[in-house]
Amino acid sequence: MNKQFSLRERILSKEVVLGLFYKFNSQAVVEMVGHAGFDFIIIDTEHANFSSYDVEGLIRAADGVGMSSVVRVREAKPEDVLHALDSGADGVQIPSIRSADQAVEVCATSKYYPQGNRGLSMTQRSGMYSAWPKDKNYFDHSNNNSLVVVHVENKEMADNVEELLKIPQLDVVFIGPGDLSQSLGKPGQMNAPEVVKVIEEVIEKVLAKGKAAGIYCGTPEAIKQYVDLGVTYIAYGSDVTAMAKALKDLKISADNVLK
């Protein structure tokens, strides 16, 4: 965990950062993740049930323990990107991209003029509720520090990743092995040779254009595999999988004593 520099600054400096998908609606668990030393959480509004109010509270909890927060928005819609960043998230992660044109439109809403067309307000949390210091430019600060992550999780975008890489606001291309495996006709077979081949090709193209690559990893071995290939934005499991495993291990330990 290190918030001396923004998550985007760390990504641009090619530092490896480790986070996890976050699905529990609990600020206390956010604090536990931060105290465990993770660099960031990805608040998963695509696959978990959060209101906008809930999301802002989770971001606030992450800030309280010096951990960065990224919101995976529900879908690739400008209004979802706006709400996440206005709530004070360090970045957004945009799923469900089906075309480069769609990505261009949504990514533009992540930045203020002249880098984009994000809706302008100073009364939201990210603007300190209109109390932003007069001697600091809020718009420059936000543009320089808001991280933009775009998913490649289907064959269409894997085949056209070069078009995504032309988007100026985009910082990280995030590969979703699960959805990608399904798109390639190998549902759940994330280590199938056909799936791994596409993943490695995407990583190579992303790094060649100077962008950062990210990926979901379910095991330490997968982390090493992809970091060795140059991936620097790692989503390692989730709070749900960690809790489920811990509870299962706890029950097994008790059963072993009772045998």
Side-chain angles (χ1 to χ4, degrees):
M1 184 173 62
N2 171 15
K3 249 198 153 182
Q4 180 180 359
F5 301 100
S6 74
L7 186 62
R8 183 169 186 265
E9 287 175 317
R10 297 173 68 186
I11 290 290
L12 294 180
S13 69
K14 304 188 185 305
E15 180 181 347
V16 175
V17 292
L18 185 68
L20 53 70
F21 280 105
Y22 188 83
K23 301 170 187 288
F24 286 131
N25 191 359
S26 168
Q27 295 181 26
V29 177
V30 171
E31 291 177 318
M32 291 180 199
V33 175
H35 290 314
F38 281 86
D39 296 304
F40 64 99
I41 54 170
I42 304 167
I43 300 169
D44 191 359
T45 69
E46 183 186 21
H47 290 297
N49 295 315
F50 299 121
S51 69
S52 295
Y53 183 82
D54 295 332
V55 169
E56 187 167 294
L58 298 174
I59 293 168
R60 185 177 289 112
D63 286 344
V65 289
M67 180 173 59
S68 296
S69 58
V70 176
V71 175
R72 175 156 76 171
V73 296
R74 287 179 174 83
E75 51 187 311
K77 288 188 174 181
E79 57 266 33
D80 288 348
V81 171
L82 174 67
H83 290 159
L85 294 176
D86 275 5
S87 294
D90 294 279
V92 287
Q93 194 157 316
I94 306 168
S96 307
I97 296 291
R98 291 291 175 182
S99 72
D101 288 343
Q102 180 189 26
V104 167
E105 177 187 6
V106 178
C107 287
T109 65
S110 68
K111 305 289 183 179
Y112 294 110
Y113 176 88
Q115 296 182 32
N117 56 21
R118 177 178 167 185
L120 195 152
S121 173
M122 288 291 291
T123 59
Q124 74 285 0
R125 182 172 183 269
S126 64
M128 294 175 61
Y129 311 105
S130 77
W132 189 266
K134 301 295 184 186
D135 60 336
K136 296 180 181 178
N137 187 308
Y138 164 72
F139 305 109
D140 286 345
H141 172 85
S142 182
N143 282 350
N144 291 336
N145 291 285
S146 56
L147 180 72
V148 179
V149 183
V150 169
H151 279 229
V152 167
E153 53 190 351
N154 54 60
K155 186 177 185 300
E156 300 96 307
M157 294 320 304
D159 290 342
N160 293 284
V161 68
E162 292 94 342
E163 294 302 309
L164 285 181
L165 296 170
K166 296 176 183 177
I167 300 174
Q169 299 91 357
L170 186 150
D171 299 304
V172 181
V173 169
F174 183 86
I175 302 163
D179 284 326
L180 184 59
S181 71
Q182 179 168 253
S183 180
L184 294 170
K186 300 286 183 179
Q189 300 176 51
M190 293 177 283
N191 293 317
E194 301 93 326
V195 178
V196 173
K197 180 176 182 290
V198 172
I199 291 173
E200 292 181 351
E201 288 174 349
V202 170
I203 292 171
E204 183 177 357
K205 291 173 182 177
V206 169
L207 298 181
K209 293 296 183 181
K211 301 287 189 177
I215 197 167
Y216 172 85
C217 294
T219 65
E221 293 77 17
I223 293 175
K224 184 177 189 315
Q225 174 186 352
Y226 288 113
V227 169
D228 286 349
L229 290 175
V231 176
T232 53
Y233 180 89
I234 301 289
Y236 183 35
S238 72
D239 54 343
V240 171
T241 56
M243 176 72 81
K245 182 180 185 305
L247 290 171
K248 185 176 181 179
D249 289 347
L250 189 66
K251 178 62 165 58
I252 289 171
S253 68
D255 288 343
N256 288 337
V257 171
L258 295 173
K259 284 180 180 178

